[in-house]
Amino acid sequence: MPNPVTETAAAPSAEALRHFAAKLGFETDCDDVHTAMATPDPGFVLLDVRGPNAFARGHVPGALNLPRRQMTAERMEAWPAETLFVVYCAGPHCNGADKAAAALAALGRPVKMMIGGWTGWLDEGFEAAT
């Protein structure tokens, strides 16, 4: 008997592989960021794109606060062109990270979004910096 999950057939495996592999080029998760940030060179710059007040209340250790509206070509020249940026915002209820990722991509910068954002980080039980 069909249900909301099975009424639409799953994509063929090769198509699913392309889809999910491509998704990994756009996003990462809190656990992967946490693991990378524990190393001397995580290979990316972590940007908290929330406002400065939210950042001051708590953020991912090692993150820099850079709200989307401050992401100008001139501001981003502080980093080499090949620098990978990982952005996050408040969480799944917020599209600030999507907007920031789009802004960075429009500037020609490599970017991924940390899915779950600040809420996801806290849900994982990871420490907060203030």
Side-chain angles (χ1 to χ4, degrees):
M1 167 81 53
N3 62 53
V5 173
T6 63
E7 67 187 17
T8 301
S13 295
E15 192 174 326
L17 175 59
R18 283 191 299 275
H19 170 80
F20 292 114
K23 241 179 116 170
L24 295 173
F26 298 101
E27 59 190 35
T28 187
D29 68 14
C30 298
D31 187 62
D32 289 345
V33 170
H34 181 263
T35 298
M37 294 298 284
T39 68
D41 180 13
F44 57 87
V45 173
L46 183 61
L47 298 178
D48 183 319
V49 302
R50 300 174 300 153
N53 290 336
F55 182 81
R57 286 191 301 272
H59 56 272
V60 175
L64 304 176
N65 186 221
L66 187 61
R68 175 180 51 91
R69 290 182 187 0
Q70 296 175 19
M71 292 179 182
T72 63
E74 296 78 23
R75 175 68 178 94
M76 301 317 293
E77 286 176 1
W79 293 278
E82 67 277 4
T83 301
L84 171 63
F85 294 95
V86 173
V87 296
Y88 73 91
C89 62
H93 59 282
C94 174
N95 68 358
D98 297 277
K99 291 176 181 178
L104 288 169
L107 292 171
R109 295 309 192 116
V111 62
K112 288 187 177 190
M113 183 175 71
M114 183 179 82
I115 58 174
W118 179 236
T119 301
W121 186 265
L122 295 175
D123 286 349
E124 292 288 337
F126 298 140
E127 81 177 75
T130 53

